[in-house]
Amino acid sequence: MDTRIGFGWDSHAFKPGGPLRIGGMTLDHPEGLAGHSDGDVLLHAITDALLGAVAAGDIGSFFPPGDPRWKDADSAIFLKLAMEELEHARYKIVNVDTTLVLAAPKIGPIAGEMRALVADLLGVELNQVSIKAKTPEGLGLDHVAQCHAVVLVERNLDDDDLKSMSAVIESQRQLEDVVEDLLSSVHGVPKKRTVSPIFDTEDIT
Ligand SMILES: [Zn+2]
């Protein structure tokens, strides 16, 4: 199996006023995340992990922060572009694992709903997406939301791949035949693939 791994990390500071957008959801919280886009730290980390898996750059190279088109943009747009890059490189998602690090709000009670939404955005099954959350113990970063994401991807086999694979198998067989012929001619090693006679000629009377 041809697999690759991608890692993404992101952080945004909390700012007074909302909305707080995480994992494509709007959460009930007095503060939102500062950012040029909607500041969705989880979708940004997954976007970078996907781009990283196929060495396609990072979110900033596709969506420069100063570009007015991405002001307050829904981060699902960024995720969609990363998925297109993945598809273009002919890979598909095996699974995504994430860890959010933030003091509040509590993610546990809504993690299930968030997983379903992210799985939907990624076009994968629920069991292919994991969302975990921790508080930033001892970091003194209660004013910041961070997210780590890893993604495993595997190559999509298409018709051309299958054709070239069968060609390799065919040429492998031919090579084995040549080696067997050589061995039998040099060392007298009997060929493995001797065709057994359909009937025993001795029996013909
Ligand atoms: Zn971000």
Side-chain angles (χ1 to χ4, degrees):
M1 200 198 299
D2 185 358
T3 55
R4 298 176 66 111
I5 195 165
F7 171 74
W9 177 86
D10 194 33
S11 72
H12 287 268
F14 281 99
K15 59 159 194 203
L20 175 61
R21 296 274 297 170
I22 298 180
M25 291 174 71
T26 302
L27 308 189
D28 189 19
H29 194 64
E31 294 183 307
L33 291 173
H36 186 64
S37 65
D38 65 3
D40 194 323
V41 71
L42 184 118
L43 295 192
H44 294 181
I46 296 175
T47 299
D48 259 1
L50 290 170
L51 291 173
V54 290
D58 63 20
I59 195 166
S61 55
F62 286 94
F63 304 100
D67 192 324
R69 281 179 299 171
W70 316 121
K71 179 97 185 78
D72 300 324
D74 181 345
S75 295
I77 297 169
F78 308 152
L79 198 65
K80 196 163 179 290
L81 177 120
M83 286 163 63
E84 280 169 12
E85 285 297 313
L86 195 72
E87 205 171 304
H88 182 67
R90 292 161 58 200
Y91 279 83
K92 63 178 179 192
I93 295 168
V94 176
N95 73 304
V96 179
D97 186 19
T98 62
T99 300
L100 281 161
V101 185
L102 73 176
K106 286 229 169 300
I107 299 298
I110 50 161
E113 194 183 339
M114 197 179 280
R115 273 178 75 204
L117 211 149
V118 172
D120 210 37
L121 287 173
L122 294 171
V124 298
E125 299 294 323
L126 188 60
N127 67 7
Q128 290 172 280
V129 177
S130 157
I131 296 175
K132 311 185 300 297
K134 313 174 73 76
T135 51
E137 295 297 323
L139 294 175
L141 290 173
D142 285 6
H143 60 294
V144 172
Q146 302 174 61
C147 187
H148 303 256
V150 283
V151 57
L152 187 71
V153 298
E154 71 175 327
R155 195 166 170 91
N156 253 331
L157 287 180
D158 61 18
D159 286 352
D160 284 347
D161 288 321
L162 293 173
K163 269 183 212 152
S164 66
M165 273 167 71
S166 62
V168 168
I169 290 166
E170 191 53 40
S171 63
Q172 185 71 26
R173 274 200 201 114
Q174 285 166 0
L175 182 67
E176 280 169 13
D177 285 348
V178 169
V179 170
E180 276 179 19
D181 281 348
L182 277 171
L183 281 173
S184 67
S185 66
V186 175
H187 300 295
V189 178
K191 284 212 242 178
K192 272 190 283 181
R193 237 175 263 150
T194 44
V195 181
S196 39
I198 300 165
F199 53 87
D200 188 348
T201 47
E202 298 290 331
D203 283 348
I204 298 172
T205 53

